[in-house]
Amino acid sequence: MMKMQNVGCFAIRKKLTRRQEYILLFLSFALPLLLWCLVSYVPFLYHPLVRVTDAGDSFLCAPGDLIERSAFEEENRELASSGGKIMRGERANPAYLPAPHQVARSLVTAFLTPPRRDGEAWFHESIGHSIRIVFLGFLISSLFGVPLGILCGTFPFFERLIEPFIEFFRYFPAPVFATLCVAILGINDAPKIAIIFIGTFFQQLPMVANTTRSADGALIEAAQTLGASRRRILMKVIIPSVLPRLYKDMRILLGWAWTYLIVAEVVGTSSGISWFINQQAKYRDFSNVYAAIIIIGCIGLFCDMFLAWFGRQIFPWESKHKGIFYRAAEEIFGPRDQVFSIVLSKEERRKRDEQHSA
Amino acid sequence: MNSTLPDYKQMMSPEVRDRFARLVRRPVIMETRNLFKEFPTSSGKNQIVLKDISFQVHQREFLSIIGPSGCGKSTLIRILAGLETATSGEILLDGKPVVAPGAERGMVFQKYTLFPWLTVCRNVMFGLESIGKDRDTAENIALQWLDIIGLARYADYYPGQLSGGMQQRVAIARALAPQPRVLLMDEPFGALDAQTRTQMQNYLLEVWRNIDITIIFVTHDLDEAVYLSDRILALKANPGEINELIEVPLPRPRRSRMLLEPEFLATREHIDKLIRPPVKREDECEFKVVNMVGDKTFL
Ligand SMILES: Nc1ncnc2c1ncn2[C@@H]1O[C@H](COP(=O)(O)OP(=O)(O)O)[C@@H](O)[C@H]1O
Ligand SMILES: [Mg+2]
């Protein structure tokens, strides 16, 4: 006899309750944070260094120095044998591993601290600059990549004419064009945007073309038997049918554009978030480095959550799996129906309201 | 086999005979002449899928095409629609050759092909706008059609929110809205459950009775073909060739009780013999029933 087992939350492909999902969402962030806290606040777990609090008679070390534990003990042994006052210190982590509270503080202070030198950018200005570069590079790439991709995906003529070269070009890593871009476009923002463009465009075109080719042939045939012209089939069948998938492609590509940003920002005069990170690393202010990294992550995640949510508004016929971040976005920005009314015509709204009241 | 059934041809009542006499006097809407279709195969030799297909469909006729799976029914109807080109032969619509798909030949597919991003109403409007109707006119006609098929309430639903049967009803309305000369249907109810299928058949007959439309209907279901059609084109497989053109001896309007009448059964039996492939020895299998319960008293 088979025995029905209660497997609780470990059932295969069984949906969890909303509560369980939120608990897990919390845990997926809380667990790494907990690990970080343990390493930072429990002295005997890691803490390979010693921070000197009282240098005693040592003239090698000063208060505040971070030194290896072995070196600290060696020095103290020597001080003790020569009868000097020994050093005191506490176990500490290396500078590149700041504690959570330090990073948390930096998340705020990074914005409030003026730049160390005149003419340098504030943190928020650096972020703004980065976002602008990514946005412009991605926009210009999409302006060419999306229409050309759709053309290649629709007409075999353009597929054969354009795609082979693009496929070949795709294998050049975008950073190899850095010096070339600077030589042609100068040292300011233009070569940075160009790097993002190169990094995105040559992936974007084949991706859009492939997605366009995945348009359901049966729908195209149905449109043909309804007397639709070629233009109408392209505009009213092929494009709408792949639009949700194209939109998803764009979200993925935008993530890649962010990756190229880091390369782009060190091209020519360095700028933006990468400049900020490099600068802070030079000052050995690692809590600021982590703050900046976390902020990049948050911008990316927030952006993607918003785009996912926005996609639902404009593609109401698509109702697939709702990810947990999507749910969260729904709670931030509002449920679909509320905003969906923007894309309904007046007439449709009137009809829907009638239906609702009936 | 039931040998007590007489030949279906002898069972035609004078009224039905009269109907057929009137039918063939009506103008020919669609016609094929010596249609051949070959597909290239991996071995390099062409496979002949359709061989010398010639037939005529008269105005307001309901013609079914039936045949075993893979005999080329879909290929034939796709050629009629203009979605596939014939290797040789002619297809004429109102005497003019057919070269490409067009709105004067509406089509309903087995696969659900409503545009998922358009509401039901917009789907029906699609063909109307394709033939140049402006938006308001198209919307009015579409709403009338939704009324006819009894789905006016669902005008603003997306296809994904409807059942399979409802989607096919909308697909029929969408194909009929631009007023085509013929409606081509390729196993349109093949994906539906038995009950919905019967409903859809009656419902299609009802629509067909009330408007001026010629229907060419592909199916592999004998009951469906006999129940719906005026005439049935039976194909044989490998290569797809016309076996026989059967005139169904049932009066109109059709009623579901006719499924039990001798005319129906005799016609069905006749076509069954025509299209059923000869049974090979190895296909006939013997069932060995093994009693695994052990408790013989229960049996
Ligand atoms: N595009 C195609 N290329 C090659 N062979 C095809 C193609 N379409 C159909 N065939 C072949 O033609 C035959 C008839 O197919 P089809 O018309 O779909 O049959 P039916 O609809 O009667 O089941 C099949 O043997 C199939 O393999
Ligand atoms: Mg078929």
Side-chain angles (χ1 to χ4, degrees):
Chain A
M1 276 300 275
M2 280 248 284
K3 193 164 163 267
M4 284 295 277
Q5 272 182 320
N6 186 2
V7 288
C9 21
F10 296 108
I12 291 170
R13 291 215 171 165
K14 190 162 171 283
K15 272 191 95 163
L16 298 168
T17 66
R18 226 183 160 130
R19 206 181 121 84
Q20 285 170 331
E21 283 188 340
Y22 277 116
I23 292 174
L24 291 174
L25 173 65
F26 171 77
L27 283 180
S28 83
F29 282 85
L31 290 178
L33 193 64
L34 183 71
L35 192 69
W36 187 17
C37 286
L38 287 176
V39 171
S40 301
Y41 299 130
V42 183
F44 48 83
L45 273 185
Y46 185 47
H47 291 66
L49 305 182
V50 173
R51 173 173 288 110
V52 179
T53 49
D54 173 8
D57 285 341
S58 164
F59 47 89
L60 287 177
C61 304
D65 280 1
L66 274 177
I67 53 174
E68 293 270 347
R69 232 157 68 203
S70 54
F72 179 82
E73 278 154 16
E74 179 98 353
E75 178 74 359
N76 265 356
R77 235 175 288 134
E78 268 175 33
L79 283 173
S81 64
S82 64
K85 197 175 153 220
I86 59 160
M87 299 194 292
R88 270 169 224 285
E90 55 190 15
R91 289 178 63 168
N93 276 331
Y96 59 79
L97 189 61
H101 73 272
Q102 292 168 312
V103 175
R105 185 159 9 95
S106 289
L107 279 175
V108 181
T109 55
F111 286 99
L112 302 176
T113 321
R116 297 211 181 183
R117 267 178 279 158
D118 278 353
E120 286 183 350
W122 285 67
F123 183 44
H124 64 89
E125 288 171 330
S126 297
I127 293 177
H129 190 264
S130 292
I131 292 177
R132 200 165 62 237
I133 297 286
V134 171
F135 180 74
L136 282 175
F138 188 73
L139 185 76
I140 296 171
S141 166
S142 304
L143 242 43
F144 294 95
V146 173
L148 281 176
I150 289 175
L151 222 53
C152 289
T154 308
F155 300 103
F157 177 86
F158 291 105
E159 178 189 339
R160 292 285 176 250
L161 180 68
I162 297 175
E163 276 191 72
F165 178 73
I166 302 283
E167 286 286 342
F168 166 63
F169 207 92
R170 205 154 68 97
Y171 286 98
F172 299 135
V176 303
F177 297 100
T179 45
L180 207 59
C181 286
V182 172
I184 299 171
L185 296 165
I187 55 165
N188 289 322
D189 287 352
K192 301 179 198 304
I193 296 171
I195 292 286
I196 302 222
F197 173 85
I198 293 170
T200 313
F201 178 79
F202 294 96
Q203 313 289 338
Q204 191 172 34
L205 194 147
M207 208 161 164
V208 170
N210 268 335
T211 303
T212 308
R213 272 191 288 272
S214 75
D216 188 351
L219 295 183
I220 298 173
E221 289 187 341
Q224 285 177 325
T225 62
L226 288 166
S229 62
R230 265 184 319 167
R231 186 194 153 80
R232 194 168 156 76
I233 289 173
L234 176 60
M235 302 305 289
K236 300 281 167 151
V237 180
I238 294 179
I239 292 178
S241 80
V242 296
L243 213 50
R245 266 167 286 161
L246 282 181
Y247 185 81
K248 251 179 229 150
D249 290 352
M250 292 301 122
R251 276 169 57 198
I252 295 170
L253 283 163
L254 190 59
W256 289 2
W258 271 101
T259 313
Y260 285 112
L261 174 74
I262 305 307
V263 179
E265 282 185 336
V266 296
V267 167
T269 47
S270 95
S271 68
I273 287 194
S274 330
W275 170 82
F276 179 87
I277 290 175
N278 289 338
Q279 206 72 355
Q280 297 303 317
K282 259 185 229 156
Y283 302 141
R284 298 193 68 72
D285 194 344
F286 284 100
S287 58
N288 272 345
V289 171
Y290 285 99
I293 292 173
I294 289 173
I295 282 171
I296 295 181
C298 288
I299 292 175
L301 178 65
F302 191 75
C303 206
D304 198 59
M305 267 164 76
F306 175 77
L307 290 177
W309 169 86
F310 187 68
R312 283 296 165 98
Q313 314 309 312
I314 52 178
F315 309 122
W317 63 93
E318 287 270 299
S319 54
K320 295 264 162 57
H321 178 71
K322 284 186 180 180
I324 186 72
F325 279 123
Y326 172 74
R327 292 261 193 74
E330 216 172 27
E331 257 148 51
I332 300 169
F333 304 117
R336 173 167 91 204
D337 233 33
Q338 204 178 319
V339 193
F340 175 43
S341 50
I342 305 167
V343 286
L344 287 178
S345 70
K346 234 191 226 151
E347 182 65 9
E348 285 169 329
R349 245 194 322 251
R350 188 184 57 72
K351 269 194 234 149
R352 198 190 55 179
D353 292 344
E354 269 174 17
Q355 262 174 20
H356 279 221
S357 56
Chain B
M1 307 235 158
N2 198 335
S3 51
T4 57
L5 283 172
D7 182 11
Y8 81 100
K9 279 180 198 151
Q10 256 89 69
M11 305 180 79
M12 199 179 281
S13 67
E15 295 88 75
V16 176
R17 209 177 296 278
D18 232 39
R19 272 200 75 229
F20 279 112
R22 287 201 305 274
L23 178 75
V24 293
R25 281 202 300 274
R26 285 200 223 126
V28 172
I29 298 282
M30 208 166 191
E31 177 175 8
T32 69
R33 290 186 190 155
N34 312 102
L35 210 64
F36 282 79
K37 178 69 185 177
E38 294 174 12
F39 280 116
T41 57
S42 49
S43 67
K45 242 183 83 192
N46 282 0
Q47 176 200 5
I48 301 174
V49 173
L50 292 175
K51 190 178 163 194
D52 201 15
I53 306 279
S54 307
F55 65 90
Q56 294 184 330
V57 192
H58 297 268
Q59 191 186 10
R60 296 218 58 212
E61 177 173 357
F62 198 124
L63 178 91
S64 283
I65 299 171
I66 197 165
S69 179
C71 72
K73 306 183 292 296
S74 294
T75 307
L76 175 56
I77 201 148
R78 285 169 58 79
I79 291 173
L80 297 183
L83 295 170
E84 202 99 57
T85 47
T87 309
S88 69
E90 269 185 309
I91 310 111
L92 302 174
L93 181 76
D94 291 319
K96 290 184 285 289
V98 162
V99 284
E104 69 294 334
R105 279 155 293 136
M107 180 136 175
V108 178
F109 302 81
Q110 174 172 4
K111 247 184 99 178
Y112 303 143
T113 56
L114 293 182
F115 305 121
W117 58 92
L118 295 180
T119 59
V120 164
C121 181
R122 289 273 175 84
N123 261 287
V124 181
M125 285 163 66
F126 187 93
L128 292 161
E129 287 179 323
S130 296
I131 59 167
K133 294 256 190 297
D134 67 71
R135 215 186 157 113
D136 283 344
T137 323
E139 183 163 358
N140 286 335
I141 301 176
L143 289 174
Q144 277 171 22
W145 269 103
L146 290 181
D147 211 29
I148 293 173
I149 60 166
L151 292 177
R153 236 161 47 75
Y154 296 93
D156 290 331
Y157 280 57
Y158 285 97
Q161 296 170 290
L162 305 186
S163 70
M166 284 155 95
Q167 287 193 44
Q168 286 306 64
R169 262 149 82 185
V170 177
I172 292 171
R174 182 178 69 171
L176 288 176
Q179 293 186 300
R181 297 288 288 157
V182 283
L183 181 62
L184 307 172
M185 306 179 91
D186 188 3
E187 307 201 26
F189 310 142
L192 304 176
D193 61 83
Q195 203 181 355
T196 317
R197 186 178 248 253
T198 314
Q199 272 175 12
M200 291 292 291
Q201 289 162 357
N202 288 323
Y203 154 80
L204 176 65
L205 286 179
E206 202 51 36
V207 172
W208 173 71
R209 205 154 74 100
N210 288 299
I211 59 169
D212 176 10
I213 186 76
T214 309
I215 297 182
I216 303 180
F217 189 100
V218 163
T219 181
H220 66 260
D221 181 336
L222 281 173
D223 295 309
E224 187 169 68
V226 178
Y227 183 59
L228 295 177
S229 324
D230 293 319
R231 297 191 300 170
I232 299 171
L233 196 67
L235 298 185
K236 39 181 177 213
N238 289 325
E241 233 178 326
I242 295 186
N243 200 334
E244 198 179 312
L245 187 63
I246 295 117
E247 296 183 334
V248 179
L250 295 174
R252 299 250 184 215
R254 300 281 157 83
R255 296 282 174 253
S256 30
R257 62 176 148 71
M258 291 177 186
L259 292 169
L260 302 172
E261 284 172 8
E263 289 94 329
F264 181 91
L265 296 173
T267 317
R268 190 190 185 288
E269 186 65 39
H270 177 78
I271 304 170
D272 192 21
K273 272 189 210 144
L274 271 182
I275 64 171
R276 188 193 299 177
V279 183
K280 296 195 201 97
R281 260 321 296 168
E282 59 267 31
D283 284 351
E284 288 174 14
C285 87
E286 247 171 60
F287 288 102
K288 281 200 188 122
V289 181
V290 181
N291 185 356
M292 293 193 288
V293 181
D295 183 4
K296 297 263 178 11
T297 56
F298 184 73
L299 300 167

